[in-house]
Amino acid sequence: MSLVSFLTILLDGLAFGMILFIISVGLTITMGLMRVINLAHGAFAMVGGYVVAILTGDGMNLWLAILIGCTAAGLLGGLAEMTILRPLYRKGEMAQVLLTFGLAFVSISALTEIFGPNPIPVVFPDYMTGQLDIGFRTYPAYRLFLIGVGLVMALCLWYLIDKTLYGARLRAAVDNPNMARAVGMNVSFLFTITFVGGSALAGLGGAIGAGILPLEPFYSLKYVVLFLIVVIVGGEGSFKGSFAAAIAVGLVDTAGKFLIPDVAPYLIYIVVFLLLLWRPNGLLPPKSVA
Amino acid sequence: MNDPVNSNFENRGPAMANMNISMSPKSLGHLVPWAVAIAFFFLFPERLGQWTEILIWVLFTISMDLALGYAGIVTLGHAAFFGIGAYTAGLMSIHVTGDPIIGMVAATVLAGIAGLITGMLILHTTGVTLLMLTLAIAAMLENWANRATKITGGDDGLQGMELGNLFGIFEFNFFGVTAFWYALGVLFIWFLIAYRIVRSPFGRSIDGIRQNANRMRAIGTPVWWRLVVMYGVSAAMAGSAGALTSYKTEFVGLTVLQLLTSGIVAVMLILGGQKTIYGAFFGAAIYIMVRDTAAETYPFLSEAIIGIMLILVVLFLEDGVMSVPKILRRRPKKAAE
């Protein structure tokens, strides 16, 4: 393999991984915090994406559209959390799986009804659709943009979670929710705002990732397995783990498509399977489960 | 359930309540589902296809009840075994023999072996990790089947199945009479097996493992082995159901392996009620009838209707349709207090 193709795989894998990270990080933290399996997380990404696609289709500035899309996804997430998801925390895994499965179903049906069954595109501005010269080859500016956004978001989240009071509370609640409550933290409120933030991030990922994961009504069911993989391979509740897992999934999947296309469609599942047999709690599990 | 320290052994559930089957009038209730199934054969012959489908899904749902309901194995990958059964039956009829009995046995055994092997690999894990592992197995198979077009037909599905006559006499034809009776027969045999298993000492120990695996371990139960065996039986049963679908339609499509299939069987189980076996009859019948009716009347909203039904069941009818009589009986008492 030449150096050029190696670097291409690296960049493509990173771009894909960053999208997975942005969408999945909210799921990681909410699953770690409340141990609730949310198969509807993809639906929030999808809603954010659809809002942006429609607004940019009408000629709105991409960044403004993203702001609106994220707000919409976040509000919807908060609403769902406060109304339907809250009674779920005390129930078993299967009840959680099924209810959120039901939510995903409803979102599929609603979007098909309103916007039709076909994928709809997000209109990216010209400076993102072209090619950039990066020394050894020209490379799509869009993918570089994804990598950039992913890195910026990862840095912001790292600061938020590792360096602020909110982050300290969040980590404490993930590690031991009962103890956090006992020392007077309002864990439910913490969870609601985290859920809103996570859904808004998913909306961002859904919007800017539309070039790689096309927006269509079945989006939420189609990719939810990928998002879950990132969460569980990274370790539930582990922000750093989900970053590592998302990049790993992106790289393995991309490398597989380039190098062994026959095996590629199921390569990622084989890797995940072996990895979870080796480390059932994920790569970097938080203290509560390690 | 999530907190091992605080989870005490539950009260005796429905499984305990009707352990004794004697010839009391109450036990005649056991005949009801079978009587209904046979009655519908004569009353609504034009709906035979739908009824056969319901019987097949009842079988699949009972297999899910053994794994998820009784053993507490959280799985979203049962489609893997359903699909193995369907493809085995299909491929047997194309390449080996069209005999539906031999094909059925092969499908059941192969799915059972797959269940035992994967069970050995994954059943030391629990919760979300287990869920992910079962999902990964099914996804692996689905993507492989999609790729291996020479064997499975890939996206186009497996075509050209040639079925022999059942017992050399009854022909599988367009009217689906043979398919219906075959499904009913296979379901009945598996039903008896399942009914026996969950009331055996083995089944009781499985029940204990679900409630508190650590305590069962402490009193010397080989927890992992018991779970593997139960998972294997459940997988074999799912394989039989898969084989029945391929006989019914004489075609195997990729959908048998999809996440949606695993999801639907879980939905049916919860809808009917876990740990009852009979819940499977209600769950499968209600789901399929609602789906078909919704698809006929509101074709674009059928997913939404099913989704809303799911949400409502999880929120308000946690123990499924089978718990309705119990809830109704409890109501007046509460009001009196």
Side-chain angles (χ1 to χ4, degrees), chain B:
Chain B
M1 276 257 248
N2 293 333
D3 186 357
V5 185
N6 291 326
S7 72
N8 282 315
F9 279 81
E10 300 168 5
N11 291 328
R12 299 179 162 199
M16 276 298 242
N18 47 26
M19 243 181 100
N20 305 315
I21 340 170
S22 55
M23 281 312 289
S24 68
K26 211 178 166 187
S27 70
L28 286 177
H30 290 288
L31 294 176
V32 171
W34 310 104
V36 170
I38 294 171
F40 271 107
F41 173 76
F42 293 106
L43 291 175
F44 302 102
E46 74 280 1
R47 292 238 157 195
L48 209 52
Q50 196 190 30
W51 288 110
T52 312
E53 196 185 353
I54 290 176
L55 293 179
I56 293 168
W57 280 93
V58 169
L59 180 60
F60 192 16
T61 309
I62 295 178
S63 92
M64 190 71 173
D65 201 5
L66 292 184
L68 174 65
Y70 286 96
I73 300 168
V74 187
T75 163
L76 256 189
H78 240 46
F81 308 118
F82 189 71
I84 289 176
Y87 276 109
T88 307
L91 290 168
M92 282 284 287
S93 81
I94 294 173
H95 301 293
V96 186
T97 163
D99 188 281
I101 307 261
I102 297 176
M104 170 67 66
V105 171
T108 309
V109 169
L110 213 66
I113 292 173
L116 286 177
I117 295 174
T118 56
M120 284 183 200
L121 288 171
I122 65 177
L123 285 174
H124 61 282
T125 65
T126 54
V128 203
T129 308
L130 180 57
L131 189 85
M132 195 67 241
L133 284 169
T134 58
L135 245 170
I137 292 171
M140 231 186 273
L141 266 177
E142 182 201 338
N143 284 296
W144 173 82
N146 190 15
R147 236 12 229 205
T149 41
K150 275 185 195 137
I151 305 172
T152 63
D155 213 13
D156 296 332
L158 185 67
Q159 280 154 351
M161 278 177 66
E162 293 208 7
L163 285 179
N165 293 351
L166 184 61
F167 304 123
I169 311 168
F170 305 107
E171 192 190 347
F172 281 90
N173 56 22
F174 176 73
F175 305 105
V177 176
T178 313
F180 173 83
W181 287 106
Y182 195 30
L184 190 63
V186 172
L187 170 63
F188 188 66
I189 294 170
W190 269 117
F191 172 83
L192 292 180
I193 296 173
Y195 197 87
R196 192 71 203 90
I197 287 179
V198 299
R199 281 158 181 78
S200 67
F202 170 77
R204 304 311 302 159
S205 74
I206 291 279
D207 205 36
I209 291 170
R210 188 196 72 250
Q211 291 177 35
N212 195 324
N214 283 333
R215 289 193 193 178
M216 290 306 281
R217 216 169 268 125
I219 59 169
T221 312
V223 168
W224 176 76
W225 264 115
R226 297 264 158 101
L227 287 176
V228 169
V229 171
M230 193 63 153
Y231 196 62
V233 172
S234 168
M237 206 164 167
S240 291
L244 284 174
T245 2
S246 68
Y247 290 150
K248 177 182 172 270
T249 49
E250 300 197 19
F251 169 80
V252 185
L254 270 181
T255 48
V256 292
L257 284 167
Q258 278 167 359
L259 170 64
L260 201 59
T261 303
S262 304
I264 288 171
V265 74
V267 170
M268 289 177 174
L269 179 62
I270 305 291
L271 189 61
Q274 300 180 59
K275 284 178 282 159
T276 56
I277 299 202
Y278 279 118
F281 289 85
F282 290 102
I286 295 174
Y287 181 93
I288 288 178
M289 285 196 264
V290 168
R291 184 201 65 190
D292 288 356
T293 316
E296 277 163 29
T297 19
Y298 313 100
F300 297 110
L301 290 176
S302 58
E303 274 110 0
I305 291 169
I306 287 171
I308 290 167
M309 187 169 86
L310 254 179
I311 295 172
L312 294 178
V313 166
V314 173
L315 287 183
F316 302 111
L317 201 65
E318 209 181 339
D319 295 322
V321 177
M322 287 294 278
S323 68
V324 168
K326 220 200 277 171
I327 294 171
L328 291 179
R329 248 180 284 142
R330 211 182 295 146
R331 274 279 153 74
K333 267 188 204 162
K334 261 191 185 164
E337 281 166 22

Side-chain angles (χ1 to χ4, degrees), chain A residues 31 37 39 84 87-89 91 93-95 97-99 101-103 105-106 109 113 218 221 225 228-229 232 236 261-262 265-266 269-270 273 276-277 280, chain B residues 2 68 74-76 121-122 124 127-129 132-133 135-137 139-140 143-144 147 259-260 263 266-267 270 300-301 303-304 307-308 310-311 314-315 318:
Chain A
M31 270 176 76
I37 304 172
L39 292 189
I84 319 180
L88 266 186
Y89 303 148
K91 298 192 180 180
E93 281 114 350
M94 230 350 131
V97 164
L98 290 182
L99 189 139
F101 207 56
L103 278 181
F105 259 60
V106 174
S109 194
E113 179 71 17
F218 273 91
L221 272 192
V225 181
L228 275 181
I229 284 178
I232 295 172
E236 266 178 281
D262 282 337
Y266 46 99
Y269 301 107
I270 297 175
F273 188 78
L276 284 179
L277 289 180
Chain B
N2 293 333
L68 174 65
V74 187
T75 163
L76 256 189
L121 288 171
I122 65 177
H124 61 282
V128 203
T129 308
M132 195 67 241
L133 284 169
L135 245 170
I137 292 171
M140 231 186 273
N143 284 296
W144 173 82
R147 236 12 229 205
L259 170 64
L260 201 59
V267 170
I270 305 291
F300 297 110
L301 290 176
E303 274 110 0
I308 290 167
L310 254 179
I311 295 172
V314 173
L315 287 183
E318 209 181 339

Side-chain angles (χ1 to χ4, degrees), chain A residues 18-78:
Chain A
M18 290 299 178
I19 284 302
L20 290 178
F21 168 70
I22 293 174
I23 298 180
S24 311
V25 68
L27 188 61
T28 295
I29 292 172
T30 50
M31 270 176 76
L33 198 55
M34 282 301 178
R35 302 271 178 274
V36 54
I37 304 172
N38 179 10
L39 292 189
H41 190 76
F44 301 124
M46 179 164 73
V47 166
Y50 263 79
V51 170
V52 174
I54 285 146
L55 291 178
T56 53
D58 286 348
M60 188 187 271
N61 177 286
L62 178 72
W63 298 100
L64 191 61
I66 284 178
L67 198 67
I68 298 172
C70 288
T71 314
L75 287 178
L76 203 70

